[in-house]
Amino acid sequence: MPLVATGEIVGAAARAGLGAGAFNVIQIEHAQAIVAGAEAAGAPVILQISENAVRYHGALAAIGRATVEVARAARVPVAVHLDHATGPELVREAVDLGFGSVMFDASALDYDGNVAATAEVAAGCHAHGVWVEAELGEVGGKDGVHAPGARTDPAEAAAYVSATGVDALAVAVGTSHAMVVKAAVVDLPLVAALRAAVPVPLVLHGSSGVPESDLTRAVEAGLTKVNIATHLNVAYTRAIRDHLAGHPEVVDPRKYVAAARDAVAREVTRLLKLVRATP
Ligand code: G3H
Ligand code: ZN
């Protein structure tokens, strides 16, 4: 199955009223695990690399190329996406590497600044056939400070999409990034109001903090792309801790990283089933 365009996966999910799972890649093993989990679920999936992960590696090229190659070898449709890019240079690099989409995150700017910067990036990406997600109404937690109170206004969101030409919109509806407890409350009436007002698919960020049954409800209410990172990090790290505790003699990282990769694959299969549960 070839690497596919992100818009194909998200568009098909939106038309069917299903969620499209988008999971963050830090190391190559995450890409392998996410694809294995999607293959087990028989579902398409989006691999995304955040600007923070790029900072960890020191550059996008190596992890980006590896992720694209893992996607190309998959037995289900897989798209590769740049997540939370705050500068146009990284966006250009992702486009050159063959990513199908980017999220340009100018949500820390005021409304006019966000519109101007995002419209410029969107025009440049569209000239290369690349799908663009942007954010309005900053979802908290990116700096470690949880701010589940932020909300995106439906009328402003509709105006923003028309002014920027973006293909999908990340909205603030009660979640916050990097939560390790499932205590976020998704504002479902707001999701429905945004769905009615905004003509492009909506994206849920900070999904790790959402109780699992609410993930299905959030999709039913109108969210399509569901971004999950921290939940996988919890599974990955727990598997390594457990493996090392049970095998104190182990020194070969392949032993415990393989255990973590398997754990992440199982979680991806389960989460994809939750976001793709038929209403
Ligand atoms: O962009 C990535 C996501 O919004 C992931 O958030 O780490 O809270 O699941 P999370
Ligand atoms: Zn996010």
Side-chain angles (χ1 to χ4, degrees), residues 138-229:
E138 195 175 10
V139 180
K142 293 168 204 168
D143 50 3
V145 181
H146 289 295
R151 292 290 184 273
T152 303
D153 175 72
E156 196 170 64
Y160 178 87
V161 167
S162 132
T164 56
V166 295
D167 304 290
L169 186 66
V171 287
V173 292
T175 56
S176 189
H177 285 86
M179 290 179 68
V180 292
V181 289
K182 303 212 175 281
V185 179
V186 179
D187 187 337
L188 296 175
L190 176 59
V191 173
L194 286 161
R195 177 67 286 138
V198 176
V200 297
L202 302 176
V203 184
L204 184 65
H205 281 249
S207 310
S208 295
V210 178
E212 294 190 347
S213 53
D214 288 357
L215 279 181
T216 307
R217 287 195 194 99
V219 171
E220 282 172 20
L223 288 155
T224 300
K225 180 169 175 274
V226 178
N227 284 12
I228 302 175

Side-chain angles (χ1 to χ4, degrees), residues 59-85:
L60 175 61
I63 186 66
R65 286 202 176 95
T67 300
V68 167
E69 286 309 315
V70 171
R72 283 201 175 112
R75 286 182 276 114
V76 289
V78 180
V80 179
H81 174 77
L82 177 67
D83 191 31
H84 287 292

Side-chain angles (χ1 to χ4, degrees), residues 2-278:
L3 176 68
V4 303
T6 310
E8 271 180 43
I9 293 179
V10 177
R15 285 191 294 279
L18 302 176
F23 300 94
N24 284 68
V25 170
I26 301 175
Q27 300 163 311
I28 186 173
E29 285 85 354
H30 293 90
Q32 295 166 332
I34 294 161
V35 167
E39 288 175 343
V45 77
I46 300 161
L47 302 176
Q48 53 188 20
I49 300 175
S50 71
E51 185 174 285
N52 280 340
V54 172
R55 202 169 296 126
Y56 165 74
H57 285 285
L60 175 61
I63 186 66
R65 286 202 176 95
T67 300
V68 167
E69 286 309 315
V70 171
R72 283 201 175 112
R75 286 182 276 114
V76 289
V78 180
V80 179
H81 174 77
L82 177 67
D83 191 31
H84 287 292
T86 56
E89 307 76 27
L90 189 59
V91 168
R92 260 192 298 277
E93 210 184 326
V95 171
D96 290 345
L97 286 168
F99 284 32
S101 57
V102 304
M103 180 212 186
F104 184 64
D105 183 352
S107 63
L109 303 181
D110 64 17
Y111 181 84
D112 291 339
N114 186 341
V115 167
T118 304
E120 193 175 337
V121 166
C125 286
H126 289 160
H128 291 88
V130 169
W131 185 95
V132 179
E133 172 187 334
E135 179 170 323
L136 180 68
E138 195 175 10
V139 180
K142 293 168 204 168
D143 50 3
V145 181
H146 289 295
R151 292 290 184 273
T152 303
D153 175 72
E156 196 170 64
Y160 178 87
V161 167
S162 132
T164 56
V166 295
D167 304 290
L169 186 66
V171 287
V173 292
T175 56
S176 189
H177 285 86
M179 290 179 68
V180 292
V181 289
K182 303 212 175 281
V185 179
V186 179
D187 187 337
L188 296 175
L190 176 59
V191 173
L194 286 161
R195 177 67 286 138
V198 176
V200 297
L202 302 176
V203 184
L204 184 65
H205 281 249
S207 310
S208 295
V210 178
E212 294 190 347
S213 53
D214 288 357
L215 279 181
T216 307
R217 287 195 194 99
V219 171
E220 282 172 20
L223 288 155
T224 300
K225 180 169 175 274
V226 178
N227 284 12
I228 302 175
T230 302
H231 181 92
L232 299 188
N233 292 344
V234 170
Y236 185 98
T237 304
R238 181 180 297 140
I240 289 182
R241 281 206 182 96
D242 289 351
H243 190 90
L244 292 177
H247 305 84
E249 75 292 351
V250 162
V251 295
D252 183 342
R254 286 172 292 191
K255 302 276 192 244
Y256 51 86
V257 176
R261 185 172 54 187
D262 291 347
V264 168
R266 283 192 296 274
E267 284 308 293
V268 167
T269 303
R270 223 170 50 69
L271 291 166
L272 281 173
K273 288 182 179 163
L274 282 177
V275 301
R276 292 172 57 80
T278 320

